[in-house]
């Protein structure tokens, strides 16, 4: 369960400007420490060797870091464009939040500002001999950090924005979100009762957008007893308009309505953090784009199917026999659990629709559904078989060759020998 402040902090922590600002500040402070510390320094004469060379070294760092940063930004923009064209526009958010990219750019910018401040300070004559020696030592440390990031960046650029790397990031984000939902199936609250009490009043959204985050702990702080229980009517990822119902409760006044609305973060875009369905939707977009006539890459679609199976298997195993109750829920805040049917529909329906004419993709879909059925209970098995039958029906219309249709239909047979 993540509170709103923690969620906002995570969002900020993943922003490029945050790391760039932090590293830039560190570079400026490092360059000025040599000046501030000079009154307390008494370095032996031997350590002053090479300190006079710091001027030219800082000039080299300043000019080279500016060029490298510009090149890196161009490479990033190219990678984003490649991911948008070949994978999914929604996947570029994960590239923007990539830590390796952010750390590399932040290091380059920080080194540039360090050298720039050092050059200005040297020109102003604020360093004595000991200060120049300390600045020289700091410059050597900066050079080591820059060289390390350059080597790491050179290897990372070879796969940044590539289809497989981007699919892997989508899979990781979806798996993390689904894993968090397994730990907190009701976002930290309690299960929604089968029948809601009568006489409930509703809290409307008041704005248009996607529910990005729900602060269950904040909702819990508004409830003192069961008579004030809050029944959350939406989940992260839901699209709401001004009149959409966010929550319902028996006791509502204007102040409490405002407090409940404040627990729901609504924005123009969906995010991966609390929204496992969004990750599966992006995976399906990757597969559908690969199956389009313009790209015609069934291998990427098959790869995406494998990612979806790996992502869904822990949830299927968890949902077998019922989701259950969390150990220490927020009392009297009721939230719906994720629907396994929705998760299956988010991925398998669009991929089956767009891949119905490809025999290899259909065979992989049938095997993927069977793998999930084996991991689940009777309800999961019935759901998987329903999708398998729908896939066969789609193939009947999309595949011109009877032999191909027969191969896909044969996978409905539960005989284990047919899946070896």
């Amino acid at each position: 369960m993540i509170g709103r402040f923690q969620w906002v902090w995570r969002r900020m922590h993943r922003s490029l400007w945050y790391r760039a600002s932090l590293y830039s500040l560190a570079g400026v402070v490092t360059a000025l420490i040599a000046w501030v510390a000079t009154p307390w320094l008494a370095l032996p004469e031997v350590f002053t060797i090479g300190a006079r060379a710091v001027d030219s070294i800082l000039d080299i760092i300043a000019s080279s870091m500016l060029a490298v940063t510009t090149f890196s930004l161009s490479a990033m923009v190219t990678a984003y464009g490649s991911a948008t064209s070949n994978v999914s526009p929604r996947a570029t958010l994960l590239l923007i939040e990539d830590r390796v990219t952010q750390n590399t750019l932040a290091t380059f910018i920080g080194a540039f500002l360090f050298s720039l401040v050092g050059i200005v300070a040297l020109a102003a004559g604020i360093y004595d001999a000991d200060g120049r020696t300390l600045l020289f030592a700091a410059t050597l440390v900066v050079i080591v950090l820059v060289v390390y990031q350059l080597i790491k960046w050179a290897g990372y650029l070879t796969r940044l924005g590539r289809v497989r790397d981007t699919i892997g990031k989508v899979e990781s984000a979806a798996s993390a979100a689904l894993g968090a939902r397994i730990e907190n199936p009701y976002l930290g609250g309690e299960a929604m009762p089968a029948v809601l009490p009568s006489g409930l009043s509703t809290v409307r959204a008041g704005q248009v957008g996607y529910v990005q985050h729900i602060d269950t702990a904040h909702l819990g702080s508004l409830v003192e007893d069961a008579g004030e229980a809050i029944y959350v009517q939406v989940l992260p990822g839901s699209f709401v308009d001004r009149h959409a119902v966010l929550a319902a409760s028996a006791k509502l006044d204007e102040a409490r309505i405002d407090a409940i609305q404040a627990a729901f973060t609504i924005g123009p875009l969906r995010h991966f953090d609390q929204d496992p369905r969004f990750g599966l939707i992006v995976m399906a977009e990757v597969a559908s784009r690969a199956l389009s006539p313009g790209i015609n890459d069934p291998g990427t679609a098959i790869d995406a199917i494998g990612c979806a199976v790996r992502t869904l298997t822990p949830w299927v195993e968890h949902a077998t026999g019922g989701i259950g109750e969390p150990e220490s829920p927020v009392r009297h805040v009721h939230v719906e659990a994720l629907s396994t049917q929705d998760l299956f529909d988010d991925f398998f329906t669009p991929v089956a629709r767009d891949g119905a004419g490809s025999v290899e993709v259909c065979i992989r879909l049938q095997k993927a559904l069977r793998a999930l059925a084996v991991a689940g209970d009777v309800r999961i098995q019935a759901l998987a078989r329903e999708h398998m039958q729908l896939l066969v029906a789609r193939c009947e219309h999309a595949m011109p060759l009877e032999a191909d249709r027969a191969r896909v239909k044969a996978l409905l047979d539960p005989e284990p020998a047919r899946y070896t």
Side-chain angles (χ1 to χ4, degrees):
M1 179 177 57
I2 301 175
R4 183 173 185 177
F5 176 79
Q6 186 180 2
W7 182 77
V8 172
W9 169 254
R10 285 188 178 185
R11 299 297 308 162
M12 184 182 71
H13 188 67
R14 296 172 184 172
S15 302
L16 176 59
W17 68 265
Y18 171 80
R19 292 179 183 270
S21 301
L22 200 62
Y23 280 55
S24 299
L25 180 62
V28 172
V29 170
T30 302
L32 294 178
I33 281 178
W35 170 51
V36 176
T38 47
W40 294 278
L41 289 176
L43 298 177
E45 185 68 23
V46 67
F47 290 115
T48 61
I49 297 176
R52 295 183 181 87
V54 71
D55 308 67
S56 56
I57 295 176
L58 289 176
D59 286 336
I60 294 173
I61 293 176
S63 58
S64 59
M65 285 302 97
L66 185 60
V68 169
T69 302
T70 304
F71 164 76
S72 299
L73 287 172
S74 300
M76 285 175 55
V77 172
T78 302
Y80 298 161
S82 175
T84 300
S85 302
N86 300 322
V87 186
S88 169
R90 264 63 61 188
T92 56
L93 177 64
L94 297 174
L95 296 181
I96 295 172
E97 294 179 349
D98 182 70
R99 284 193 175 185
V100 175
T101 303
Q102 292 182 356
N103 287 336
T104 301
L105 283 175
T107 300
F108 294 162
I109 296 173
F112 171 73
L113 287 178
F114 164 80
S115 59
L116 199 62
V117 173
I119 291 171
V120 173
L122 286 171
I126 66 174
Y127 294 122
D128 58 14
D130 289 339
R132 292 173 66 92
T133 301
L134 187 59
L135 181 64
F136 180 72
T139 303
L140 295 180
V141 174
V142 170
I143 290 174
V144 171
L145 291 175
V146 168
V147 170
Y148 168 75
Q149 289 293 351
L150 277 172
I151 295 174
K152 188 176 181 180
W153 183 234
Y156 196 71
L157 275 179
T158 59
R159 62 179 187 275
L160 181 64
R162 300 299 185 266
V163 173
R164 186 60 192 87
D165 180 66
T166 309
I167 295 175
K169 294 182 187 301
V170 175
E171 179 185 354
S172 298
S175 298
L178 206 53
R181 190 60 65 88
I182 290 174
E183 294 179 2
N184 293 286
Y186 309 106
L187 299 178
E190 296 180 313
M192 186 72 71
V195 180
L196 297 182
S198 59
L200 296 179
S201 301
T202 58
V203 177
R204 306 286 177 172
Q207 53 184 314
V208 179
Y210 291 97
V211 177
Q212 297 176 339
H213 179 263
I214 300 176
D215 191 345
T216 311
H218 175 71
L219 292 175
S221 67
L222 305 175
V223 181
E224 296 182 358
D225 53 49
E228 297 181 349
I230 297 175
Y231 303 90
V232 177
Q233 301 297 302
V234 294
L235 290 176
S238 302
F239 183 79
V240 296
D241 56 33
R242 293 179 181 273
H243 303 288
V245 177
L246 298 179
S249 182
K251 296 181 180 180
L252 289 178
D253 53 31
E254 187 173 348
R256 195 159 186 259
I257 289 175
D258 292 340
I260 291 175
Q261 286 178 332
F264 295 82
T265 302
I266 299 175
L269 301 174
R270 298 177 74 168
H271 289 293
F272 292 91
D273 295 337
Q274 269 197 348
D275 188 4
R277 294 183 61 185
F278 184 49
L280 289 170
I281 290 171
V282 175
M283 282 188 199
E285 289 181 351
V286 173
S288 294
R289 186 179 291 264
L291 293 170
S292 64
I295 297 179
N296 191 24
D297 182 14
T300 296
I302 291 173
D303 195 7
I305 294 170
C307 293
V309 173
R310 284 192 295 270
T311 302
L312 285 170
T313 298
W315 174 263
V316 168
E317 294 173 345
H318 168 72
T320 298
I323 294 175
E325 292 283 350
E327 294 183 1
S328 301
V330 176
R331 301 293 295 172
H332 309 307
V333 177
H334 302 275
V335 183
E336 289 279 3
L338 270 178
S339 169
T340 305
Q341 181 174 353
D342 288 342
L343 294 175
F344 274 56
D345 288 341
D346 288 335
F347 181 80
F348 290 108
T349 298
V351 178
R353 178 199 63 213
D354 296 326
S358 174
V359 62
E360 60 267 35
V361 172
C362 290
I363 289 175
R364 182 63 63 180
L365 281 171
Q366 294 287 62
K367 292 183 177 181
L369 287 164
R370 183 177 185 275
L372 293 173
V374 170
D377 57 10
V378 176
R379 296 176 296 110
I380 304 290
Q381 291 168 7
L383 179 61
R385 186 163 184 83
E386 178 185 347
H387 277 273
M388 295 172 75
Q389 291 171 341
L390 286 173
L391 178 59
V392 170
R394 289 188 172 95
C395 292
E396 292 289 341
H397 292 277
M399 285 187 185
L401 191 61
E402 175 60 30
D404 291 341
R405 296 197 297 268
R407 290 179 63 190
V408 177
K409 188 174 182 179
L411 291 173
L412 284 173
D413 191 336
E415 184 182 350
R418 293 191 178 274
Y419 302 97
T420 58

